[in-house]
Amino acid sequence: MMETELLGRTGRIEVRNVGGIDETSVEFEPGITVLTGRNATNRTSLLRSIMAVMGSDDASLKADADEGQVEFTVGDERYRRTFTRTNGSVTIGGEPFLDDPEFADLFAFLLESNEARRFVARGDDLRELIMRPVDTEAIRTEIRELEREKSRIDDDLDSLADLKGDLPELERKRSRLEDDIETKRAELEDKEAEIEALDADIDKTRAEKQELESRLDDLREKRSELERVRSNIDLQQDSIESLTAEQREIETDLEELPDEPMGEHAELDQEIERLRERIGTLEREVSDLQDVIQFNEDQLQETGVVTEHLDDEDGAVTDALVDETVVCWTCGTSVETDRITTTLDQLREIRQEKLETIRTLESELSQLKEERETYREQQQRKETLERTLDDIEVEIEDRETQLETLREQRDQLNGDIEDLEAEIETLETEDFDDILGLHKEANQLEFELGRLESDLEDVTERISSIEDRLTEEEQLRSQRDEINTELRELRTQIDRIEENAVTEFNDHMETVLDILGYENLERIWIERVERTVREGRRNVEKTMFELHIVRSTDSGATFEDTIDHLSESEREVTGLVFALAGYLVHEVYETVPFMLLDSLEAIDSERIATLVEYVADYAEFLVVALLPEDAQALDDNHTQVTEI
């Protein structure tokens, strides 16, 4: 749903048994809603409930309940998220507002545990977070498909280039054949005229003449058939030579391929399955950690009660937490506030480390899948070549059999011709010597003329076939140019996306920082750099986004600093500025009606008021949780919620 579809309409959130809330209902007018109160007043629980009905999984069922729900109503439209506990596990269902909450989780729901804020506070590489919503793998897949199509077109164009090279010689051959045919026809006409002249002078019986002519016709047919057989023999030999050359090429290609590509493939399958299982285990651990963190935060706000003990990765028990000095609901001892805060931070760090491990494993998994695909392609290529090789071997055997048969026919025809020539000699007399010689010469000319005409037909047909094929050349070149253009666009698209993202982030961070007006923070900006990093089992060049902070002294001098040197409050401000810039860069307000702000204590009241008013121009519903003294700096006309 687009944000504009909700414009000007009141929304209602109804919550039951989610976080630390038993049951509540809150109406949100378009604009700013301020949740005012001290800690442990369920403000964060309400914010997480809003996140849940929007589609986020960063919410939990109330500890003492078996089911709960959050419902968002706007006009006649209703969205619902349900929580059901079964055998100690909570199942989330319903139909939330968003199909994919990733943008919202990163850049619209800016609670203290927001990943974008924490990324900056820890000094992590920001590229992974900024580019996470961009499907770069789909771009790479499209590049591979276009490269395969371009390779096919290049092969076709190479084939056409070879044919084009054959065309001039074929045209010269056709011209020679046409000249030879014209010459042979003239010779045959002269020879037939001589025969006709001699026939008038010879007085022989019709029977003798007919018998002689019959034998001559038989001789002409046998010679013609012999020439056809010889031509077929040549064709079969040429075909066998061509097939043998192709056979050698295929054998060479096969030698270049691994003997057993699928052997590597089987090992990769096992490694891929292992990584998937590892990722699944980590995701479950992250989910469990989030439930524990969320539950403890809700309990801490509501009653000051701390969570039960949690085993970390090494099996060590995590200390229980409470607000200030309260009684731990698990062990019954008093725990100081600092220990609570520290341990909650440790839990968040553990969760973040596991998330980073998941992303690293997913990257390695992607590489292994690419390797497996390469092996699969090699296996398919090997099988295709082997099938082609088998077909060629069968065809060679078949043509050799045909060649042997043709040679036998040739030998038989040579014998028949010798017999006919012997018969004709017995019929010859002195009177017939001249005319018989002329008939033989005429037969030979007719035979040669027929062969020339047959060759001309073959050459003409070959030229016509090549010319038909060459009509495809322009279209193929046009297709290749289009593919080259697409490839150039796609190969630079990721770079352009990254460059644009960095530019927009820097512009928006400059704007937000200017609004906040910190005198000692001159500039916060991101630089796109290339670094060599270890990824899986190899070193790769990787693009990274480095955060730079320019500070100023009381004397007006400026210097560059790192996130590690900032105070906790300055890091919180920097993380919030970055997250707000992401909200504006990715135009999250176009699809997510709510913007949620919490844990703004690091910013003074006046700056909070200025920042809230600025963001309100974009968000349909801006919900901000503030302490009473901070809320006083905002306009009294904004909706105030003091009890949840």
Side-chain angles (χ1 to χ4, degrees):
M1 172 177 291
M2 297 300 292
E3 178 266 342
T4 51
E5 296 180 37
L6 301 178
L7 195 61
R9 298 160 69 181
T10 299
R12 172 183 289 274
I13 295 286
E14 298 180 12
V15 186
R16 180 171 60 84
N17 291 337
V18 175
I21 299 174
D22 290 320
E23 189 166 358
T24 192
S25 175
V26 180
E27 281 195 359
F28 295 94
E29 295 292 337
I32 300 171
T33 298
V34 183
L35 308 182
T36 306
R38 295 292 174 186
N39 292 330
T41 54
N42 282 331
R43 294 175 303 153
T44 302
S45 291
L46 178 59
L47 294 178
R48 292 192 186 279
S49 297
I50 296 173
M51 292 167 57
V53 79
M54 288 294 103
S56 175
D57 291 331
D58 195 5
S60 62
L61 180 65
K62 199 168 184 293
D64 58 356
D66 292 328
E67 60 180 28
Q69 71 172 32
V70 185
E71 195 168 80
F72 172 49
T73 305
V74 56
D76 296 331
E77 297 163 358
R78 179 172 296 181
Y79 304 91
R80 187 164 169 263
R81 206 77 185 277
T82 61
F83 298 79
T84 306
R85 193 188 310 277
T86 306
N87 298 326
S89 177
V90 176
T91 302
I92 303 177
E95 296 182 357
F97 185 87
L98 299 171
D99 294 328
D100 184 358
E102 185 168 36
F103 270 121
D105 276 333
L106 287 176
F107 301 118
F109 303 152
L110 305 187
L111 278 61
E112 182 180 13
S113 59
N114 171 263
E115 190 173 357
R117 293 176 67 174
R118 301 274 66 78
F119 250 62
V120 174
R122 290 193 307 271
D124 292 340
D125 173 31
L126 301 179
R127 180 191 177 278
E128 188 279 328
L129 187 138
I130 292 174
M131 297 299 294
R132 191 184 302 171
V134 181
D135 191 359
T136 54
E137 183 57 34
I139 297 175
R140 294 190 179 95
T141 299
E142 189 174 356
I143 288 174
R144 289 193 292 269
E145 291 175 352
L146 286 173
E147 286 175 339
R148 284 194 289 269
E149 179 65 14
K150 179 178 177 293
S151 177
R152 182 191 65 77
I153 291 176
D154 286 339
D155 291 341
D156 289 345
L157 287 172
D158 289 342
S159 176
L160 290 179
D162 293 339
L163 292 176
K164 188 185 292 186
D166 295 340
L167 199 55
E169 179 58 33
L170 287 170
E171 289 174 341
R172 288 192 292 270
K173 185 176 181 180
R174 179 173 62 180
S175 180
R176 289 196 302 270
L177 287 170
E178 289 173 344
D179 292 342
D180 291 344
I181 288 172
E182 186 176 348
T183 301
K184 287 296 177 186
R185 283 175 178 167
E187 290 178 10
L188 183 58
E189 288 177 2
D190 293 342
K191 197 63 63 179
E192 288 175 343
E194 290 183 47
I195 291 172
E196 188 175 346
L198 281 177
D199 278 346
D201 297 335
I202 296 177
D203 185 15
K204 275 290 182 181
T205 63
R206 180 66 59 185
E208 290 174 338
K209 186 176 182 180
Q210 286 180 346
E211 183 179 359
L212 185 57
E213 289 177 347
S214 175
R215 292 294 181 271
L216 289 172
D217 288 341
D218 291 342
L219 180 61
R220 184 165 52 249
E221 290 177 1
K222 290 295 182 181
R223 282 176 175 163
S224 178
E225 187 176 355
L226 177 61
E227 184 61 24
R228 180 186 59 78
V229 170
R230 285 173 176 167
S231 177
N232 287 339
I233 287 174
D234 291 340
L235 289 174
Q236 292 295 344
Q237 288 175 333
D238 290 343
S239 296
I240 290 173
E241 289 177 4
S242 177
L243 287 168
T244 302
E246 185 179 356
Q247 185 182 46
R248 286 194 294 268
E249 290 178 3
I250 292 175
E251 289 172 346
T252 300
D253 291 342
L254 279 171
E255 289 175 359
E256 295 174 354
L257 292 172
D259 292 336
E260 296 182 2
M262 297 301 288
E264 290 282 349
H265 184 190
E267 295 178 4
L268 282 174
D269 281 342
Q270 296 175 1
E271 182 64 12
I272 286 171
E273 186 59 32
R274 186 190 69 79
L275 286 177
R276 283 174 173 164
E277 291 176 356
R278 176 62 176 153
I279 290 171
T281 300
L282 286 171
E283 286 176 341
R284 289 191 294 273
E285 291 174 359
V286 167
S287 177
D288 291 342
L289 274 171
Q290 180 57 41
D291 288 343
V292 171
I293 292 170
Q294 177 62 45
F295 174 73
N296 285 320
E297 287 176 343
D298 294 338
Q299 290 295 319
L300 187 59
Q301 288 186 8
E302 181 179 11
T303 63
V305 180
V306 75
T307 183
E308 60 186 341
H309 297 301
L310 170 72
D311 288 343
D312 62 13
E313 280 188 298
D314 301 325
V317 177
T318 303
D319 293 337
L321 313 172
V322 288
D323 185 20
E324 295 194 355
T325 304
V326 294
V327 177
C328 174
W329 69 283
T330 301
C331 63
T333 61
S334 295
V335 183
E336 295 178 356
T337 303
D338 289 344
R339 291 184 61 193
I340 300 170
T341 305
T342 299
T343 308
L344 271 177
D345 287 341
Q346 290 173 350
L347 291 176
R348 293 190 188 102
E349 289 177 4
I350 292 172
R351 176 181 176 272
Q352 188 58 40
E353 288 172 0
K354 290 181 182 292
L355 287 172
E356 291 172 357
T357 302
I358 288 172
R359 284 191 286 273
T360 300
L361 293 176
E362 286 175 340
S363 175
E364 185 174 352
L365 180 62
S366 177
Q367 293 177 20
L368 291 177
K369 286 180 179 178
E370 288 183 5
E371 289 183 30
R372 181 175 65 179
E373 184 61 27
T374 299
Y375 287 129
R376 282 178 175 170
E377 290 175 356
Q378 289 178 343
Q379 181 67 27
Q380 291 172 356
R381 173 69 173 157
K382 186 173 186 293
E383 292 172 354
T384 299
L385 290 175
E386 288 175 343
R387 286 195 300 269
T388 304
L389 193 61
D390 291 341
D391 293 340
I392 289 175
E393 290 174 353
V394 171
E395 186 172 356
I396 289 175
E397 291 177 1
D398 182 58
R399 289 187 179 276
E400 287 177 342
T401 300
Q402 294 180 46
L403 182 61
E404 185 62 30
T405 301
L406 288 169
R407 286 171 175 164
E408 292 175 357
Q409 291 177 3
R410 180 188 62 187
D411 295 341
Q412 179 63 42
L413 287 169
N414 281 328
D416 293 343
I417 289 172
E418 290 176 0
D419 292 341
L420 282 171
E421 288 176 341
E423 286 186 48
I424 290 172
E425 286 179 2
T426 61
L427 293 172
E428 289 180 347
T429 63
E430 286 187 20
D431 295 334
F432 277 92
D433 284 346
D434 292 340
I435 194 169
L436 286 175
L438 289 174
H439 273 291
K440 287 181 179 180
E441 291 175 9
N443 285 341
Q444 183 63 29
L445 287 171
E446 287 179 350
F447 166 74
E448 292 174 358
L449 181 61
R451 185 182 62 185
L452 289 171
E453 290 173 340
S454 177
D455 289 346
L456 180 61
E457 289 176 0
D458 291 342
V459 171
T460 301
E461 183 178 347
R462 178 64 174 160
I463 290 173
S464 177
S465 175
I466 291 176
E467 289 175 342
D468 289 342
R469 286 287 311 280
L470 290 178
T471 60
E472 305 172 10
E473 184 177 20
E474 184 176 352
Q475 180 181 359
L476 288 172
R477 291 190 183 279
S478 177
Q479 290 177 355
R480 186 176 64 177
D481 290 342
E482 291 175 1
I483 289 174
N484 282 333
T485 301
E486 289 185 54
L487 282 172
R488 284 194 297 271
E489 289 292 323
L490 288 172
R491 284 168 179 159
T492 59
Q493 184 175 351
I494 295 175
D495 289 340
R496 291 198 309 273
I497 291 172
E498 291 180 352
E499 290 170 356
N500 292 338
V502 167
T503 299
E504 290 190 43
F505 261 91
N506 288 338
D507 290 344
H508 283 295
M509 284 193 292
E510 183 178 0
T511 300
V512 175
L513 194 61
D514 184 59
I515 289 171
L516 292 174
Y518 285 100
E519 295 180 357
N520 63 335
L521 282 177
E522 292 290 328
R523 185 185 177 200
I524 300 173
W525 62 289
I526 298 169
E527 181 185 14
R528 183 172 176 266
V529 297
E530 296 290 332
R531 294 282 186 266
T532 301
V533 298
R534 186 74 176 175
E535 195 169 88
R537 296 179 290 179
R538 56 185 178 178
N539 290 327
V540 297
E541 288 294 322
K542 188 174 182 181
T543 302
M544 303 181 73
F545 292 173
E546 291 185 351
L547 186 69
H548 296 272
I549 300 166
V550 178
R551 305 183 69 179
S552 62
T553 63
D554 294 338
S555 62
T558 60
F559 64 95
E560 185 167 317
D561 207 344
T562 65
I563 192 72
D564 297 332
H565 295 159
L566 299 184
S567 66
E568 182 179 354
S569 62
E570 287 174 328
R571 273 187 282 182
E572 286 295 328
V573 169
T574 303
L576 184 61
V577 169
F578 172 79
L580 288 171
Y583 177 79
L584 299 173
V585 168
H586 291 295
E587 297 179 341
V588 183
Y589 49 82
E590 291 287 349
T591 53
V592 183
F594 280 92
M595 167 114 185
L596 310 179
L597 292 174
D598 191 13
S599 300
L600 303 180
E601 290 80 4
I603 307 176
D604 59 82
S605 302
E606 294 300 325
R607 287 191 173 94
I608 290 175
T610 302
L611 184 64
V612 167
E613 294 291 345
Y614 174 72
V615 176
D617 290 338
Y618 295 91
E620 177 73 2
F621 301 108
L622 174 59
V623 185
V624 53
L626 296 176
L627 296 172
E629 54 269 27
D630 291 332
Q632 291 176 1
L634 271 69
D635 194 318
D636 293 337
N637 293 330
H638 300 318
T639 303
Q640 298 275 341
V641 178
T642 57
E643 293 185 6
I644 302 173

